[in-house]
Amino acid sequence: MSARILVVDDDPNLSDLVVMAMRYEGFEAVAAGSGAEAVARVADFAPDLVVLDIMLPDISGLETCRRLRRLGHQVPVIFLTAKGRTEDKIAGLTSGGDDYVTKPFSLEELIARARAVLGRTRQAARLSYADLEIDEDAYEVRRGGRLIELTPTEFKLLRYLVTNAGRVLTKRQILDHVWEYDSGGSEGVVHTYISYLRRKVDDAGEPLIHTVPRVGYALRLMRP
């Protein structure tokens, strides 16, 4: 399956050019013209990579990246911008970016960097925490070597917990990331699916999924 790439730039000529080049290379690519549109497209298009301009008409690319991270989207980001100072690059990378390409640029360089970032992220298709392992390519979950059968929603929920291991996630954060508002906004569905996961994942081992009263849930080892 080809990688999906979202190109975010308010210059339609540039974004169309990059999209066409990406498609020519075999990627599935679409464009967005603002930060708000980018956040919405990440939710519905589920890209494997975002090429993100920093100077956008509504919110900056840096803030767009921060919002994606706050919503739990771990999609890799390549910043594309005319700002080439060292401090600008540092700001981009520390806001959650994975690479930084300055304008003017060659399409060949951008495509090479996209392939490199995708290669690094796809090598990390196995996630683990304690004795829990998730193989995203095989769509399998194991606890202590034992295969655990999960539904697609349970798999997505567990993956979100594992990628944020140690962090306390609110029900709203989980709802926004896993269901993307399809549940009609009911936070009760989060409690229900957490219960499903606990019965399957924590059934024969140390509990990993913990409730933080009045806040949400966290995946972590029990504290001594």
Side-chain angles (χ1 to χ4, degrees):
M1 184 181 298
S2 64
R4 296 182 299 275
I5 298 179
L6 175 63
V7 180
V8 186
D9 199 297
D10 61 334
D11 181 345
N13 293 323
L14 178 60
S15 61
D16 287 348
L17 179 64
V18 174
V19 164
M20 286 190 293
M22 293 294 183
R23 289 176 178 173
Y24 181 80
E25 294 294 322
F27 298 114
E28 183 181 352
V30 299
S34 68
E37 185 182 359
V39 173
R41 291 312 306 268
V42 166
D44 61 40
F45 181 58
D48 300 295
L49 174 68
V50 177
V51 177
L52 180 60
D53 187 23
I54 287 184
M55 301 298 290
L56 294 171
D58 51 353
I59 56 176
S60 73
L62 299 178
E63 178 57 27
T64 299
C65 186
R66 294 188 190 102
R67 290 190 184 186
L68 290 174
R69 300 297 183 245
R70 286 198 296 269
L71 289 170
H73 297 295
Q74 301 303 316
V75 57
V77 171
I78 295 178
F79 284 112
L80 184 64
T81 179
K83 293 186 173 184
R85 298 179 304 170
T86 299
E87 52 265 41
D88 294 321
K89 294 180 180 181
I90 292 173
L93 295 173
T94 56
S95 69
D98 296 85
D99 205 346
Y100 198 106
V101 177
T102 55
K103 300 176 183 178
F105 63 94
S106 71
L107 290 171
E108 291 81 3
E109 179 192 3
L110 179 59
I111 291 168
R113 287 179 179 265
R115 291 190 187 281
V117 171
L118 286 167
R120 291 197 300 270
T121 56
R122 286 184 169 182
Q123 287 174 2
R126 284 183 181 272
L127 302 173
S128 64
Y129 184 79
D131 61 345
L132 178 66
E133 297 179 346
I134 298 178
D135 187 330
E136 295 186 276
D137 288 336
Y139 215 75
E140 291 182 346
V141 173
R142 295 179 184 274
R143 177 88 195 264
R146 177 177 61 90
L147 183 65
I148 301 172
E149 297 291 340
L150 298 180
T151 67
T153 300
E154 291 168 349
F155 186 92
K156 190 173 182 181
L157 173 57
L158 182 61
R159 184 191 183 283
Y160 185 49
L161 291 172
V162 171
T163 55
N164 290 278
R167 290 181 55 198
V168 177
L169 301 170
T170 67
K171 290 182 179 179
R172 175 53 56 180
Q173 285 176 309
I174 296 171
L175 189 67
D176 289 348
H177 179 81
V178 177
W179 282 270
E180 297 169 1
Y181 301 102
D182 290 342
S183 66
S186 172
E187 295 183 0
V189 72
V190 177
H191 173 76
T192 299
Y193 272 84
I194 287 288
S195 298
Y196 294 159
L197 270 186
R198 278 182 169 142
R199 285 200 291 267
K200 295 181 178 182
V201 174
D202 287 345
D203 180 54
E206 178 183 346
L208 294 178
I209 303 171
H210 301 276
T211 300
V212 180
R214 298 183 297 279
V215 181
Y217 303 96
L219 187 135
R220 62 193 180 197
L221 294 168
M222 292 186 67
R223 293 171 177 170

